[in-house]
Amino acid sequence: MSRTVYLDGQYLPEAEAKVSIFDRGFVMADGVYEVTSVLDGKLLDFAGHMRRLTRSLNELGMDNPLSEQDYLDAHRKLLELNGITDGLVYLQVTRGNAGDRDFAFPPEGTPQTVVMFTQAKPGLAENPQAQTGLRVISAPDLRWHRRDIKTVQLLYPSLLKMEAKARGADDAWLVEDGFVTEGTSNNTYIVKDGTLITRDLSNDILHGITRTALLRLASEAQIKVEERPFTLAEAQAADEALITSASAFVLPVVEIDGAQVGNGQPGPIATRLREIYLEESRKTAI
Ligand code: PMP
């Protein structure tokens, strides 16, 4: 069955949704995106994604072409049209069709491009990796230095996912100046002596929506939280390691560059945090 997707105010069969070859998103990666998870037909932390979208657009000097209510209506309509129970909604906003290729921005008032589409993921919350844990490799962080902006420039993370796969691992953790920044598409954490440790917010990492929620939930569950950078060696010697993202929720990491983390099994704090996160997210989904 063909998906119905959203393009600039229209709901179209996916084969009919076409964007110009001069779109700034296509020729310059001049666009930002969000991915919102859906469980039981409801959107998780939609307000958080909208806040970050606005921030990303502001940082790039782009307008926000739609209101939060417009985005919400479009997300819900796409879920309904495509019969999505569990899955994702992808949203992308670009600086639009400049009519030609030029480094300079198109003139003020050039319509931006807005695309949304769904991805069905039946059983999204029942990921078997929650039981097995992830194995990750490390790699130097060669991305640009505004990782706090959620742009569509995903080539380096994409190359690293392929490298991880080729080496029999699930993902890669990025390292800069000796410290872990984040995963290719997730925020990274370790647990040592009961304390949850994750890198503090800066331009070095994406400000994960799931990260914000998790730190709040961890504190509420009386788990001590420390926001500071950690090294790869510290991670390998930790009691537990884990990642968060809007689509993976919370997943344990059991191996880093071939070194077992803890006893090589998903740890109790990662497992508990996943349960708490999923329970709370379902409760507050809209
Ligand atoms: N870091 C990077 C580089 C990411 O791509 C993602 C996924 N969006 C995250 C962290 C996690 O962010 P979130 O919890 O908002 O999905």
Side-chain angles (χ1 to χ4, degrees), residues 210-223:
T210 321
R211 178 189 180 282
T212 302
L214 193 81
L215 295 189
R216 179 175 48 81
L217 294 171
S219 295
E220 285 170 15
Q222 318 296 331
I223 295 167

Side-chain angles (χ1 to χ4, degrees), residues 143-260:
R143 299 172 301 165
W144 79 327
H145 287 271
R146 289 306 306 274
R147 302 156 193 158
D148 56 311
I149 309 172
K150 198 165 169 63
T151 75
V152 296
Q153 321 171 33
L154 296 173
L155 185 55
Y156 189 58
S158 173
L159 288 171
L160 286 181
K161 289 259 193 207
M162 294 305 287
E163 187 182 335
K165 225 176 229 171
R167 289 167 53 185
D170 300 297
D171 199 8
W173 279 20
L174 304 175
V175 179
E176 186 170 57
D177 301 329
F179 294 97
V180 175
T181 50
E182 57 189 334
T184 59
S185 58
N186 43 66
N187 290 115
T188 51
Y189 309 71
I190 57 174
V191 177
K192 190 68 181 173
D193 300 327
T195 299
L196 182 68
I197 301 161
T198 194
R199 195 179 174 109
D200 46 316
L201 293 182
S202 69
N203 292 353
D204 298 337
I205 62 169
L206 187 76
H207 302 184
I209 303 301
T210 321
R211 178 189 180 282
T212 302
L214 193 81
L215 295 189
R216 179 175 48 81
L217 294 171
S219 295
E220 285 170 15
Q222 318 296 331
I223 295 167
K224 203 173 149 224
V225 173
E226 231 174 81
E227 291 182 73
R228 62 160 176 88
F230 56 83
T231 64
L232 205 62
E234 199 181 354
Q236 288 171 318
D239 301 325
E240 297 184 39
L242 53 139
I243 59 106
T244 62
S245 78
S247 52
F249 312 120
V250 182
L251 285 177
V253 170
V254 295
E255 195 182 292
I256 303 172
D257 279 343
Q260 190 172 293

